[in-house]
Amino acid sequence: MDELVRFGVSIEKGLLAKFDALIRRRNYTNRSEAFRDLIREELVKKAWDEGESVVGAVTIVYDHHRRELLNKITDVQHDFQGTIIAAQHIHLDHNNCLEIIAVRGKPADVQRLADTLRAIRGVKHGTLSMTGAGKDVE
Ligand code: NI
């Protein structure tokens, strides 16, 4: 971990009160960590905008009984094997499967994979969460 540096921040009282309320809701124990995370979030967004490498997870929920779905989802994953690091299948209940797919690559590729999976009929829900690939979040 890099050396910690302290610096002063001037901020309006009202804005700080809102910030404190926000970070309480997000269970931060101190402002510094919350502030660091905000900066990291912006850096990840910047990496995304500039097309640098990002890492993340695509999660999809789909109907277990539609067997052809599993084939389609597997086909898509083979098409994107350069982007996918790992995938985990969880049998949620009698009807539903959850798939968590860890990804790494160009934002556009990752987004295309998520969109392609979500667009498959029978996929009930899909999310994409992104973070930086190392240097952006240190
Ligand atoms: Ni299943």
Side-chain angles (χ1 to χ4, degrees):
M1 196 179 168
D2 203 2
E3 181 197 350
L4 286 176
V5 178
R6 292 182 65 94
F7 70 101
V9 176
S10 303
I11 184 170
E12 290 84 355
K13 223 174 174 177
L15 188 57
L16 184 60
K18 283 179 189 163
F19 183 63
D20 284 342
L22 177 78
I23 69 178
R24 248 196 321 274
R25 276 204 302 275
R26 293 187 183 173
N27 291 318
Y28 282 101
T29 50
N30 65 67
R31 287 172 182 158
S32 291
E33 187 52 30
F35 192 63
R36 285 194 288 267
D37 276 357
L38 281 180
I39 294 173
R40 291 185 189 112
E41 212 175 291
E42 286 306 310
L43 292 171
V44 169
K45 249 189 253 169
K46 178 177 158 288
W48 177 274
D49 290 342
E50 292 174 358
E52 292 168 22
S53 184
V54 290
V55 293
V58 180
T59 61
I60 52 172
V61 174
Y62 60 92
D63 189 340
H64 161 76
H65 296 292
R66 299 184 55 175
R67 298 306 165 113
E68 81 286 359
L69 249 181
L70 195 60
N71 281 333
K72 273 188 196 158
I73 289 167
T74 306
D75 284 348
V76 171
Q77 291 192 40
H78 278 270
D79 290 341
F80 284 86
Q81 47 87 15
T83 306
I84 296 171
I85 305 167
Q88 183 160 35
H89 182 107
I90 295 127
H91 311 298
L92 270 189
D93 54 38
H94 186 69
N95 300 315
N96 295 294
C97 297
L98 167 70
E99 199 130 331
I100 304 170
I101 303 159
V103 292
R104 184 204 305 262
K106 297 257 176 239
D109 293 336
V110 170
Q111 186 70 59
R112 207 155 41 83
L113 168 62
D115 291 343
T116 305
L117 288 171
R118 271 194 293 232
I120 296 172
R121 267 187 70 189
V123 172
K124 297 173 179 176
H125 185 62
T127 62
L128 166 62
S129 66
M130 301 300 312
T131 183
K135 63 182 172 57
D136 300 311
V137 289
E138 273 163 18

